[in-house]
Amino acid sequence: MLGIITPSISNDQKAENVWRLRAEKLLFSYRYFILFVVLPIAVLATYYYVIASDQYETSADFVVRKADVSGAQTGGGQILGFNLGGSIVSSEAYMVNDYLLSIDAAERLSRQNGLIERFTRPSIDVFSRLWGDKPSPERLLKYYRKHVSFHVDSETGITQMNVHAFTPGDAYEIGNALLRMGEEQINQLNIRTYRDQVAHARSEAELAEAALKSAERALTDYRRSNNDIDPAGSARAQVSLVSNLTAGLTTARARLRAMEGLISPSSPQYRAMVSQMRALEAQVASQSGRIAGNDRSIASSLGGYENLQVQQEAAVRRYAAAAAAYETARSEAVRKKTYLIRIVDANRAVKPLYPERAKIVGTALLTLVFAYAIGWLLVQGVREHEI
């Protein structure tokens, strides 16, 4: 009998064909699941487990506080010198954090610590490295903030710093550099605060001191010009002299009146008494003229001297008040001085903690599975309504 001759198929070949058909049918049935779930997870896992570079973390804890921190301090707060029971965080802590996350800090790290070179190493995968040897400030800041973070605990006031880099040494060096920059920023803040608070008081003290020196100089010049170191003492001595002379004149006049009628005016004794009285009158007139006779009198000299003394005393009081205000301002500025205290210093990482491969891939898998399940339920619901 003529016809087409077909090759015989063995049982193994039949089984292989059956498995191939089943596999093709299975793949066709789950083609959307494979496309939307399996393939993305495979690509993601390949990147994170094969391509992605390891990242090391350096962390440090510090607190920013003022010298006059008060309130209940218990436990570790007493040891460290800050209040662990309060809920108010120093504004200077946020200022330091903002500065360390600014473009100024990133550029300073680039100049002094080679930040760009550390993030552009050839060993870093292309998706994680910083592209370009001279990135724009905006791109550098965006990349920098992905690898440096600060978290402030509102209850304790402790700031936790985390730095991610691609070698343990890079993370450690960047973390230490950031701590030093934070301390320098606090020191500059203290200098500016001290200068602003003390400058006015110091200026007033200097003006008061200059006024006091001027008053003392004027008083000294006045003494020199009048050849009298103590015009007030000289005036008291002159008044005492005039008083004594006046008393003597009074006595002489009394004795002369007593002699009248008893002794002849032409007698030598009477004439001597008259001469003595006239001499005393002349001395009293002369010495009284020195006290208040003309512009060169003691009264005129004493008036100018007392005026200068009043000016000197006013200058002394002004200087004393200005000096006290200056010392108070200095004490207040010192009391409000801010410190950055390292609680936990920067550590050198031993093993990489990032990227968290299992966590990322697992989260992505669960998300895609749930999304696929929801989409499948929606599609099935639409098909049932069409039927």
Side-chain angles (χ1 to χ4, degrees), residues 33 36-46 48-49 356-373:
F33 182 81
F36 294 110
V37 177
V38 177
L39 286 180
I41 292 300
V43 172
L44 190 66
T46 300
Y48 277 106
Y49 282 96
E356 298 176 308
R357 295 177 172 87
K359 180 179 179 180
I360 294 174
V361 174
T363 302
L365 177 61
L366 292 176
T367 302
L368 290 176
V369 168
F370 280 117
Y372 177 81

Side-chain angles (χ1 to χ4, degrees), residues 234-246:
S234 299
R236 288 191 297 270
Q238 187 66 24
V239 170
S240 178
L241 176 62
V242 172
S243 298
N244 293 332
L245 290 173
T246 302

Side-chain angles (χ1 to χ4, degrees), residues 18-161:
V18 170
W19 280 108
R20 185 174 66 253
L21 290 175
R22 289 181 178 178
E24 291 176 354
K25 184 177 180 181
L26 184 64
L27 289 174
F28 182 79
S29 300
Y30 291 95
R31 62 188 182 278
Y32 295 113
F33 182 81
I34 295 172
L35 179 63
F36 294 110
V37 177
V38 177
L39 286 180
I41 292 300
V43 172
L44 190 66
T46 300
Y47 169 72
Y48 277 106
Y49 282 96
V50 179
I51 302 175
S53 301
D54 292 334
Q55 296 185 29
Y56 298 83
E57 181 183 72
T58 288
S59 61
D61 294 341
F62 61 87
V63 64
V64 177
R65 70 174 183 90
K66 292 183 180 295
D68 62 346
V69 172
S70 60
Q73 298 181 355
T74 57
Q78 291 179 340
I79 298 174
L80 297 173
F82 59 90
N83 187 3
L84 288 176
S87 59
I88 300 177
V89 181
S90 172
S91 60
E92 286 79 5
Y94 293 109
M95 294 171 61
V96 171
N97 295 347
D98 288 344
Y99 169 73
L100 295 180
L101 289 175
S102 67
I103 186 62
D104 291 341
E107 291 180 345
R108 182 176 173 184
L109 285 172
S110 299
R111 293 191 305 269
Q112 300 179 358
N113 300 92
L115 180 68
I116 296 178
E117 290 77 7
R118 295 178 189 274
F119 286 145
T120 55
R121 299 182 188 275
S123 58
I124 305 173
D125 68 89
V126 295
F127 298 104
S128 300
R129 76 176 63 167
L130 176 62
W131 292 354
D133 296 334
K134 295 181 178 179
S136 64
E138 293 77 12
R139 187 152 58 88
L140 174 61
L141 180 62
K142 183 178 180 180
Y143 185 89
Y144 169 73
R145 288 183 173 179
K146 289 181 179 179
H147 292 79
V148 176
S149 63
F150 295 89
H151 173 70
V152 182
D153 192 320
S154 60
E155 294 183 357
T156 63
I158 298 175
T159 300
Q160 183 181 42
M161 178 191 71

